[in-house]
């Protein structure tokens, strides 16, 4: 190894030119402009690099995030479109001593929250004794009446929380918002950490940065301990791929080895929660809930919920499932609650809040309303029951006395006055917070940008544990009011720096424990269904590409006669219109494949996903330029190579478990069905001339045919090679053999009893094996085609419980 | 009055349903001073694999049941004997202007606490037109009770009963625009009107004894489930039940099944079905006076 390069400051300008904003606390420098000690290593490191080197380092982080496919959905955007993760590579460094104070304050707050919520669903002392207005609870959409009187099985309502904190003008940390219902971001914090450690690999190793893995390990262990059925696996309950943080949920499920489940994956039987899997119903009794509580059960909560599981609330009531967190804890996120928490803390614990929250006034009380009215210029005013900051809501709100949102009309002072009077009980005012700044790297320089930090807490065997770090949101401009955060900005890692070396932690079990091969849980039926259809749609895309290519190349060669019109008509049954150069039916088939894959990203390799997305992008690009005939044929060849790349990735790399089996069955079933269908059209004695050669070409079997038979195709040679040959991976027989083998592997019934699907596969495979080239006529081909398609229904009935 | 009540609700599915889970809310309620349930039986066919009878947050008697095997029909049969007491004359109630002060002091969150019934609910969102309609018919000096009657009468004049104009899922706002509807629409609209002027109001589902035309026999199963409104008139009076469809205070002809904020709290049967097609539902009610 070469000796370590001497750090030579090539960019002394980097720090010297950093200009904190006047009167605003800054993370990098103190009030006297002196660098805070925790940052020294990072600034020295960055100063030793040229701008090009810095750009190169940053590119490593971006590359990682792009390769990993990190994205998030824009809030409120209900399309599949996603946004890249706006990563800011410069971390925020906090000394451990300061972090300990934050930790203690947040643990106190978490414990207080638990007491408050236990009271709100239990004895209701806080309301009865006048510490909390009854209106705030009775009119709160997050106070879930079915939960009243329910005591959580685990003894706790809260197991995992997040707090948004910021540093105020006096240098103290403030709690800006409480995230209790289904807090997101822990997985993003982890991905940020990976990316940042790739940007600064040496520095990260040399700096005593507290690692995050220990926190996740403790949390995972705590969740495992909450299980009562040792045969069950902990699940993560997701609202599904259309949610803004789906990527993160899939990521954390993979990272922690938990099942990612949608409401539809679950069912309740005799008060017990179960997962529908391809092997029947499997137990699950701990759910880390990433779905907002109100959607969880259409029977007892929001009746219009498409995401929930009927009966879930009943299973909770009967004490058969632990929800992390309990349903109904969303009530703690109520903005107006912050007005009462400081006093409630003193009442319940005898102590003040050690980390204050943003000063808040509920306008349902006369003196508070008057105060908010008089100080509107220094406040944000918005819905009292909202769980979001006023500027994050679509509802009418006022910032610094200016009305916004709602119907979009800007009000004047008189409107503000009337609005407050008419809606007092539904409104609250909050001090307009200003935030500290932290350095962000823009155009070769460090510039101060406002920031907030999201900190995560987990209930473990040792009580509440705080993730040493978190993820920071960084404003996009120098505006230091908290509202600048609504424009998005960037995200950065948070390093908690110790004076002493930190212990490395991994998710692995200690080496002293004997090795145990982990069991994968049974495959949820919905995932199996999506994998099966992913197999079918990619195979159908390939088949259609081959057919459209064959059509276009013949078009260019000026082939005349009845063949092309008959092919054109037949392709219409697959919704492909070859008069379009790039048929819409082709791209929509591929889009269906991508959609199926997007439903199961937690089970899908990153490379496979990238290959699939790449195909979709190429298809969209090509669609704009392609010309009919030879050009289209060439383009189809390019697409075929891409699809082969995807299939190769899947078949070379995918773990041979139930997931792969369903994907492969889908592929084989589709290929066999399309071939039977094609042969029925082109290999009939009455079919137009040229059809047999076309079938051999589409079946990619020209070389074999030439070697085995002759240059001349006949109905016999074609049927033999493409329907009955058990060694040709393009033949119907070959794929029925594949399906038969797979279904035998999938269905291991100790008593040897066959299920309906198995029976049908066996019958069909045997029937085909007994056919000869003469008995497999067009009528028989059509029958085989229908029977193959029926297998799809039988598979559904057998495995999709 | 003592009644024997029979209710039969059935659903026919075009395609067999599997794994149906439902919540039924049709058993009459015991309300001290208002009505007493002497006996009650709810029979479900096909026989459910699971059945749990319990009380919901508002104290209503609900039955959760699940039928797992494929089935193309569900039928629920309720039989109950109920004694309904006539309403007693009331004390002097609060005035409209008193209410905000009373709510500000309220520290009650029990099932009948008026505060639950003041904010908008799923089927009764805030509606400025209905609030304005209510306001037009009020005078500042009115007691809450007078206000409830004034709004109820006005609504009865404004709306016309029409069994065909709306369905169970028609939003109240649409019925109000049409000025047509059935008891569910009348009730939702009146609730929105009352809440719009600061009076807590809830939905009552139940049965109504109907009298056959003079000289004609009572037709079996000809009655239907009914709905009306209850409004909170201050601590002295408490809840007052008013039937906007018939423009009168609910009386010994009204048998209460359930109290809720709106229909979605007390729907007689709820529940999603996996993979089911169209369905047909039938309802038959008999309310027979015994004494």
């Amino acid at each position: 190894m070469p000796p370590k390069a001497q750090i030579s400051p090539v960019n002394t300008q980097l720090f010297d030119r950093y200009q904190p904003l006047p009167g605003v606390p800054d993370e990098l420098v103190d009030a006297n402009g002196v660098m805070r000690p925790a940052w020294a290593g990072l600034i020295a490191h960055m100063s030793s690099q040229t701008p090009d080197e810095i750009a190169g380092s940053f590119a490593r982080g971006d590359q990682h995030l792009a390769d990993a496919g990190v994205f998030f959905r824009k809030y409120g955007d209900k399309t599949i479109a996603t946004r890249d993760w706006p990563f800011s590579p410069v971390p925020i460094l906090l000394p451990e001593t300061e972090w300990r104070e934050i930790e203690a304050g947040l643990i106190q707050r978490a414990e207080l929250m638990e007491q408050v919520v236990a009271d709100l669903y239990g004895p209701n002392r806080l309301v009865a004794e006048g510490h909390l207005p009854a209106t705030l609870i009775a009119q709160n959409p997050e106070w879930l009446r079915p939960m009243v009187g329910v005591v959580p099985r685990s003894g706790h309502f809260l197991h995992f929380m997040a707090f948004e904190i910021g540093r105020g003008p006096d240098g103290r940390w403030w709690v800006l918002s409480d995230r209790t219902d289904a807090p997101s971001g822990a997985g993003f914090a982890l991905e940020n950490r990976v990316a940042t450690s790739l940007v600064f690999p040496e520095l990260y190793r040399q700096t005593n940065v507290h690692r995050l893995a220990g926190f996740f390990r403790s949390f995972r262990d705590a969740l495992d301990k909450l299980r009562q059925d040792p045969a069950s696996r902990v699940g993560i309950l997701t609202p599904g791929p259309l949610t803004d943080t789906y990527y993160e949920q899939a990521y954390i499920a993979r990272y922690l080895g938990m099942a990612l489940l949608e409401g539809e994956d679950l069912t309740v039987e005799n008060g017990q929660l179960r997962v529908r899997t391809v092997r029947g119903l499997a137990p699950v009794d701990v759910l880390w809930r990433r779905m907002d509580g109100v959607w969880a059960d259409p029977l007892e909560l929001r009746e219009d919920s498409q995401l929930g599981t009927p009966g879930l609330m009943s299973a909770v009531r009967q004490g058969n499932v632990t929800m992390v967190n309990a349903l109904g804890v969303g009530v703690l996120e109520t903005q107006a609650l912050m007005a009462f928490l400081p006093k409630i803390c003193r009442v319940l614990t005898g102590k003040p809040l050690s980390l204050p929250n943003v000063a808040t006034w509920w306008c349902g009380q006369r003196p508070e309303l008057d105060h908010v009215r008089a100080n509107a210029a220094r406040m944000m005013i918005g819905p009292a029951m909202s769980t979001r900051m006023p500027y994050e809501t679509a509802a009418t709100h006022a910032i610094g006395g200016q009305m916004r949102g709602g119907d979009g009309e800007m009000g004047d002072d008189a409107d503000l006055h009337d609005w407050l009077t008419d809606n007092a009980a539904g409104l609250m005012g909050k001090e307009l917070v200003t935030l500290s700044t932290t350095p962000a790297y823009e155009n070769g320089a460090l510039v101060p940008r406002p920031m907030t930090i999201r900190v995560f807490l987990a209930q473990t065997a040792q009580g509440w544990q705080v993730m040493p770090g978190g993820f920071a949101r960084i404003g996009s401009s120098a505006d230091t009011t908290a509202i600048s955060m609504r424009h998005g900005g960037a995200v950065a890692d948070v390093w908690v720096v110790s004076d002493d070396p930190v212990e490395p932690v991994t998710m692995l079990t200690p080496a002293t424990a004997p090795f145990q091969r982990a069991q994968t849980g049974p495959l949820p039926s919905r995932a199996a269904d999506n994998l099966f259809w992913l197999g079918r749609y990619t195979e159908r895309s390939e088949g259609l590409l081959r057919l459209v290519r064959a059509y276009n190349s013949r078009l260019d060669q000026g082939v005349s006669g009845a063949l092309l019109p008959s092919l054109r008509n037949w392709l219409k049954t697959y919704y492909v219109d070859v008069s379009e150069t790039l048929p819409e039916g082709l791209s929509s088939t591929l889009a269906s494949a991508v959609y199926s894959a997007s439903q199961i990203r937690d089970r899908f390799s990153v490379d496979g996903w990238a290959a699939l997305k790449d195909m979709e992008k190429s298809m969209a690009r090509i669609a704009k330029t392609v010309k009919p005939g030879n050009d289209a044929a060439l383009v189809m060849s390019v697409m075929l190579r891409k699809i082969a790349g995807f299939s190769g990735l899947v078949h070379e790399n995918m773990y041979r478990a139930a997931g792969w089996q369903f994907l492969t069955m889908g592929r084989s079933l589709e290929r066999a069905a399309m071939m039977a269908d094609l042969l029925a059209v082109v290999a009939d004695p009455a079919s137009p001339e040229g059809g047999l050669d076309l079938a051999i070409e589409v079946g990619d079997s020209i070389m074999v045919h030439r070697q085995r038979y002759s240059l001349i195709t006949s109905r016999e040679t074609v049927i033999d090679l493409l329907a009955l040959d058990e060694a040709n991976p393009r033949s119907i027989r070959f794929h029925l053999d594949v399906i038969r083998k797979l279904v035998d592997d999938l269905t291991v019934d100790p008593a040897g009893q066959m299920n309906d699907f198995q029976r049908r596969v066996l019958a069909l495979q045997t029937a085909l094996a007994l056919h000869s080239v003469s008995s497999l006529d067009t009528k028989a081909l059509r029958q085989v085609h229908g029977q193959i398609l029926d297998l799809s229904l039988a598979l559904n009935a057998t495995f999709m419980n | 009055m003592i009644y024997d009540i029979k209710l039969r609700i059935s659903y026919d599915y075009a395609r067999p349903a599997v794994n149906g889970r439902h919540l039924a809310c049709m058993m009459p309620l015991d309300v001290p001073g208002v009505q007493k349930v002497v006996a009650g039986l709810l029979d479900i066919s096909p026989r459910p694999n699971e059945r749990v009878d319990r009380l919901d947050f508002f104290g209503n008697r609900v039955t959760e049941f699940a039928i797992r095997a494929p089935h193309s029909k569900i039928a629920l049969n309720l039989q109950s004997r109920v004694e309904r007491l006539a309403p007693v004359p009331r004390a002097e109630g609060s005035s409209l202007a008193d209410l905000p002060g009373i709510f500000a002091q309220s520290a009650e969150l029990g099932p009948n606490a008026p505060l639950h019934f003041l904010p908008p609910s799923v089927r009764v969102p805030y509606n400025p037109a209905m609030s304005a309609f209510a306001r037009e018919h009020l005078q500042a000096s009115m007691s809450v009770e007078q206000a409830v009657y004034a709004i109820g009468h006005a609504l009865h004049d404004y709306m016309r009963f029409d069994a065909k104009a709306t369905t169970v899922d028609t939003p109240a706002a649409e019925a109000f625009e049409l000025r047509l509807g059935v008891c569910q629409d009348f009730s939702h609209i009146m609730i929105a009107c009352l809440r719009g002027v600061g009076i807590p109001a809830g939905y009552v589902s139940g049965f109504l004894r109907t009298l056959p035309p003079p000289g004609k026999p009572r037709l079996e199963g000809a009655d239907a489930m009914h709905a009306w409104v209850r409004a909170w008139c201050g601590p002295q009076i408490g809840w007052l039940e008013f039937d906007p469809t018939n423009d009168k205070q609910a009386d010994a002809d009204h048998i209460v099944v359930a109290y809720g904020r709106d229909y979605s709290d007390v729907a007689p049967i709820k529940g999603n079905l996996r993979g089911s097609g169209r369905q047909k539902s039938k309802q038959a009610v008999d309310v027979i006076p015994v004494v």
Side-chain angles (χ1 to χ4, degrees):
Chain A
M1 227 175 130
K4 220 171 81 185
Q6 204 69 45
I7 287 183
S8 50
V10 292
N11 187 4
T12 51
Q13 303 282 311
L14 198 63
F15 178 73
D16 295 346
R17 278 168 46 194
Y18 185 68
Q19 291 289 332
L21 305 171
V24 175
D26 185 80
E27 299 303 322
L28 173 57
V29 296
D30 65 18
N32 303 316
V34 179
M35 189 192 301
R36 296 180 197 271
W39 290 78
L42 175 71
I43 296 301
H45 174 81
M46 286 184 72
S47 300
S48 73
Q49 295 192 311
T50 63
D52 282 349
E53 285 170 331
I54 290 182
S57 308
F58 286 8
R60 281 200 299 273
D62 287 335
Q63 188 62 44
H64 164 78
L65 292 169
D67 288 350
V70 182
F71 72 89
F72 73 115
R73 209 171 294 286
K74 229 172 134 175
Y75 185 72
D77 186 352
K78 288 287 173 239
T79 65
I80 293 282
T82 52
R83 225 166 73 162
D84 287 338
W85 189 236
F87 176 58
S88 170
V90 182
I92 288 146
L93 285 80
L94 291 171
E96 186 174 353
T97 42
E98 185 172 7
W99 187 257
R100 295 288 166 230
E101 284 174 35
I102 294 175
E103 247 180 23
L106 294 182
I107 288 174
Q108 180 206 33
R109 194 172 180 89
E111 284 168 350
L112 176 66
M113 288 283 186
E114 175 73 37
Q115 278 184 280
V116 170
V117 77
D119 180 69
L120 290 180
Y121 289 104
N124 252 319
R125 262 185 51 209
L126 291 172
V127 168
E129 293 171 11
H131 304 303
L132 205 51
T135 301
L136 221 48
I137 304 306
Q139 311 204 1
N140 198 313
E142 297 289 335
W143 187 60
L144 305 183
R145 287 174 177 79
M147 277 299 292
V148 170
V150 175
V151 179
R153 181 179 77 166
S154 67
H156 295 282
F157 282 84
L158 298 167
H159 297 267
F160 189 87
M161 293 183 77
F163 297 104
E164 198 84 24
I165 62 171
R167 199 199 291 270
D170 59 354
R172 292 184 68 188
W173 289 94
W174 294 76
V175 175
L176 305 173
S177 83
D178 303 295
R179 302 265 68 113
T180 52
D181 201 21
S184 64
F188 284 139
L190 211 49
E191 275 290 33
N192 270 345
R193 173 59 57 91
V194 175
T196 310
S197 66
L198 288 171
V199 172
F200 303 109
E202 294 265 301
L203 180 74
Y204 182 66
R205 270 197 299 278
Q206 289 155 9
T207 313
N208 300 320
V209 184
H210 277 282
R211 303 301 201 251
L212 304 182
F215 171 82
F216 285 99
R217 193 170 69 192
S218 303
F219 180 50
R220 184 188 63 189
D221 292 348
L223 290 182
D224 278 341
K225 282 212 184 70
L226 289 172
R227 290 174 307 161
Q228 281 189 353
D229 185 341
S232 69
R233 261 178 98 199
V234 176
I236 295 179
L237 180 62
T238 171
L242 280 182
T243 188
D244 49 350
T245 58
Y246 181 71
Y247 164 80
E248 189 220 339
Q249 296 164 19
Y251 174 79
I252 206 111
R254 275 197 306 252
Y255 179 73
L256 296 177
M258 294 173 181
L260 188 65
L261 303 169
E262 293 184 27
E264 204 193 312
D265 286 323
L266 299 166
T267 184
V268 174
E269 196 179 78
N270 296 323
Q272 306 280 343
L273 196 61
R274 299 274 185 254
V275 186
R276 303 178 209 270
T277 80
V278 295
R279 294 198 186 279
L281 300 182
V284 58
D285 68 357
V286 177
L287 282 183
W288 182 11
R289 182 165 62 80
R290 298 295 301 269
M291 179 195 290
D292 286 344
V294 293
W295 303 106
D297 181 351
L299 217 47
E300 293 198 49
L301 300 163
R302 285 282 296 253
E303 61 175 327
D304 55 344
S305 170
Q306 305 284 321
L307 307 171
T309 308
L312 182 60
M313 186 58 230
S314 191
V316 166
R317 187 182 293 112
Q318 292 173 58
N320 292 331
V321 52
T322 296
M323 294 292 252
V324 172
N325 295 327
L327 294 168
V329 298
V331 68
L332 295 169
E333 297 186 3
T334 308
Q335 285 288 337
L337 189 64
M338 287 205 192
F340 303 93
L341 271 184
K343 183 166 166 230
I344 289 173
C345 186
R346 280 194 298 274
V347 169
L348 291 180
T349 71
K351 294 188 188 122
L353 281 174
S354 61
L355 274 190
N357 55 236
V358 177
T360 306
W361 294 268
W362 177 50
C363 302
Q365 295 154 308
R366 192 69 215 197
E368 282 76 5
L369 173 63
D370 294 342
H371 178 84
V372 170
R373 203 192 293 280
N375 297 283
R378 294 191 292 107
M379 295 221 180
M380 25 187 188
I381 307 169
M385 304 294 172
S386 175
T387 59
R388 296 282 182 268
M389 288 283 202
Y391 53 81
E392 292 172 322
T393 67
T396 306
H397 60 274
I399 306 282
Q402 291 294 308
M403 289 184 71
R404 306 163 188 229
D407 49 18
E409 283 172 39
M410 296 294 160
D412 56 17
D413 286 355
D415 288 338
L416 179 70
H417 183 89
D418 290 347
W419 176 62
L420 275 167
T421 307
D422 294 346
N423 303 282
L427 297 175
M428 57 101 215
K430 249 178 174 13
E431 205 173 75
L432 200 48
V433 203
T434 60
L435 302 167
S436 67
T437 51
T438 192
Y441 190 80
E442 279 177 20
N443 305 323
L446 290 175
V447 290
R449 291 285 176 258
M451 64 110 200
T452 63
I453 299 178
R454 182 168 285 206
V455 189
F456 301 90
L457 281 77
Q459 175 88 257
T460 70
Q462 287 78 43
W464 284 103
Q465 198 175 324
V466 180
M467 183 201 290
F471 88 84
R473 292 206 288 164
I474 301 197
S476 49
S477 71
D479 174 10
T480 57
T481 56
I483 51 172
S484 63
M485 292 300 163
R486 99 188 112 157
H487 299 306
V491 289
D493 193 12
V494 178
W495 289 7
V496 176
V497 182
S498 172
D499 292 336
D500 309 308
V502 294
E503 258 182 72
V505 212
T506 71
M507 290 299 283
L508 304 174
T509 31
T512 48
F515 173 79
Q516 263 196 321
R517 178 178 279 182
Q519 295 290 315
T520 52
L523 183 69
S525 302
R526 186 187 47 84
D529 195 38
N530 279 304
L531 284 158
F532 176 73
W533 281 98
L534 173 62
R536 285 196 67 175
Y537 283 130
T538 37
E539 181 56 33
R540 192 178 300 173
S541 304
E542 186 191 327
L544 293 175
L545 276 168
R546 287 183 182 280
L547 287 158
V548 176
R549 179 175 69 172
Y551 178 89
N552 274 295
S553 60
R554 279 165 181 71
L555 197 65
D556 225 44
Q557 291 154 17
V559 171
S560 58
L563 178 65
L564 293 188
S566 100
L567 189 61
R568 199 156 53 219
N569 282 336
W570 178 65
L571 278 169
K572 279 187 187 149
T573 63
Y574 288 87
Y575 306 103
V576 167
D577 179 358
V578 278
S579 65
E580 302 164 26
T581 316
L582 189 79
E584 162 73 26
L586 193 52
S587 7
S588 68
T589 305
L590 191 62
S592 299
V594 174
Y595 177 79
S596 297
S598 74
Q599 304 290 309
I600 38 166
R601 282 198 56 189
D602 60 318
R603 311 195 158 261
F604 210 72
S605 84
V606 167
D607 287 335
W609 173 252
L612 209 53
K613 288 296 283 183
D614 176 50
M615 262 189 286
E616 202 186 26
K617 274 186 211 154
S618 308
M619 192 83 109
R621 202 174 48 237
I622 288 166
K624 292 180 194 135
T625 55
V626 67
K627 295 176 199 61
N630 206 25
D631 185 48
L634 284 173
V635 157
M636 299 300 152
S637 298
V638 173
M639 291 304 297
L640 273 172
R641 282 198 292 277
K642 283 185 188 280
I643 234 171
F646 170 75
S647 303
L649 272 170
V650 165
H651 289 274
E652 285 302 313
N653 301 326
M654 199 166 165
Y655 190 75
R656 288 333 193 229
W660 177 81
Q661 289 166 330
F662 277 93
L663 184 81
T664 308
M665 273 203 284
R667 179 165 173 260
S668 283
L669 190 146
E670 187 69 29
R671 189 175 280 190
M674 278 185 92
M675 185 52 82
D677 199 16
L678 175 69
L679 291 177
V681 172
V682 298
D684 190 77
S687 295
E689 203 181 323
L692 293 171
D693 289 320
L694 183 129
I696 291 291
E697 181 196 317
V698 168
D700 207 5
S701 303
I702 299 174
M703 300 306 290
V704 183
H705 188 274
R706 202 170 289 167
Q707 286 158 12
R708 183 90 68 87
Y709 310 100
S710 66
L711 279 172
I712 311 297
T713 50
S714 69
R715 184 175 190 281
E716 283 71 25
T717 60
V718 170
I719 294 289
D720 192 37
L721 192 58
L722 295 181
L724 299 175
D725 194 322
E726 52 206 286
N728 183 6
R730 292 280 161 185
S731 82
I732 305 173
R733 168 71 193 275
F734 181 92
H735 289 288
L736 290 178
D737 289 359
V738 169
I739 294 174
R740 184 171 167 195
K741 165 110 186 36
L742 288 170
V743 71
D744 287 345
D745 291 348
L746 260 176
T747 325
V748 207
D749 183 63
Q753 202 178 319
M754 275 195 196
N755 59 45
D756 180 50
F757 181 66
Q758 216 171 355
R759 225 171 268 128
R760 282 167 185 264
V761 169
L762 183 61
L764 184 55
Q765 188 254 359
T766 311
L768 192 80
L770 295 176
H771 266 297
S772 67
V773 288
S774 54
S775 69
L776 193 62
D777 55 12
T778 300
K779 191 176 158 224
L781 278 167
R782 289 201 194 285
Q783 192 185 4
V784 166
H785 177 237
Q787 283 167 335
I788 296 172
L789 292 183
D790 286 348
L791 287 183
S792 194
L793 298 175
L795 177 131
N796 199 63
T798 302
F799 294 106
M800 311 306 169
N801 293 287
Chain B
M1 289 294 282
I2 295 179
Y3 298 97
D4 271 345
I5 293 163
K6 281 194 282 183
L7 164 66
R8 179 183 166 85
I9 296 185
S10 64
Y11 286 82
D12 282 291
Y13 303 115
R15 263 179 287 160
V18 278
N19 254 332
R21 181 171 288 272
H22 304 269
L23 201 58
C25 179
M26 42 184 77
M27 184 64 79
L29 202 56
D30 258 316
V31 190
V34 177
Q35 75 178 26
K36 215 160 72 188
V37 178
V38 180
L41 182 71
L42 175 63
D43 179 66
I44 301 166
S45 81
R47 197 186 158 81
N49 301 83
E50 293 171 43
R51 174 174 173 154
V52 180
D53 295 270
R54 57 179 173 82
L55 301 182
D56 72 4
F57 173 82
F58 295 105
N60 303 313
R61 299 171 68 175
V62 294
T63 302
E64 181 176 342
F65 64 96
I67 301 170
R68 281 197 278 277
H71 52 282
S72 38
K73 187 182 180 120
I74 295 181
L76 294 98
N77 277 297
L78 171 84
Q79 283 180 288
S80 179
R81 175 167 289 189
V82 177
E83 182 177 3
R84 168 77 197 209
L85 313 169
V88 287
R90 308 242 184 200
E92 179 83 359
S94 308
S95 81
L96 270 178
D98 295 340
L99 287 183
I102 294 170
F103 300 145
Q105 294 305 310
S106 172
E108 237 244 280
L109 285 175
N112 288 307
L115 286 178
H116 298 302
F117 301 88
L118 206 46
S121 52
V122 182
R123 300 251 187 166
V124 184
Y126 172 68
N127 184 300
M130 295 183 210
S131 301
F133 177 88
R135 227 172 283 125
E136 270 172 39
H137 297 91
L138 294 189
Q139 279 144 27
S141 60
M142 280 182 170
S143 71
V144 183
E145 190 179 2
Q146 287 167 332
V148 172
Y149 279 101
I151 291 169
H153 295 323
L155 208 55
H156 187 263
D157 289 345
Y158 184 75
M159 301 280 297
R160 190 159 57 80
F161 185 89
D162 185 328
K164 297 255 159 58
T166 59
T167 73
V168 68
D169 291 318
T170 305
E174 200 181 311
F176 187 65
E177 249 169 58
L178 291 170
R179 300 175 65 173
L180 298 172
V182 294
C183 56
Q184 180 187 316
D185 307 301
F186 276 73
S187 299
H188 279 154
I189 293 167
M190 184 166 176
I191 292 168
C193 289
L194 293 170
R195 289 180 189 166
V197 296
I199 302 173
Y203 190 95
V204 189
S205 78
F207 302 105
L208 177 65
R209 171 200 186 186
T210 48
L211 299 168
K216 297 275 173 67
R218 213 192 62 82
L219 294 174
E220 195 145 318
D223 302 337
M225 278 196 86
H226 192 50
W228 57 97
V229 170
R230 64 173 187 161
W232 194 75
C233 301
Q236 302 88 351
I237 293 183
W239 290 100
L240 168 79
E241 292 182 23
F242 186 88
D243 180 348
T245 318
N246 295 299
D247 194 20
K248 62 175 197 172
Q249 185 181 357
D251 56 22
D253 290 340
H254 292 72
I255 299 111
V256 178
V257 167
Y259 292 131
R261 289 163 296 179
D262 60 34
Y263 176 80
S264 65
D265 278 338
V266 298
I269 183 159
K270 283 194 223 179
N272 286 7
L273 287 150
R274 265 184 94 216
S276 73
R278 281 162 176 279
Q279 58 183 45
K280 268 195 299 200
S281 68
K282 272 188 241 153
Q283 196 186 92
V285 175
D286 289 300
V287 179
I288 305 157
V290 180
V291 186

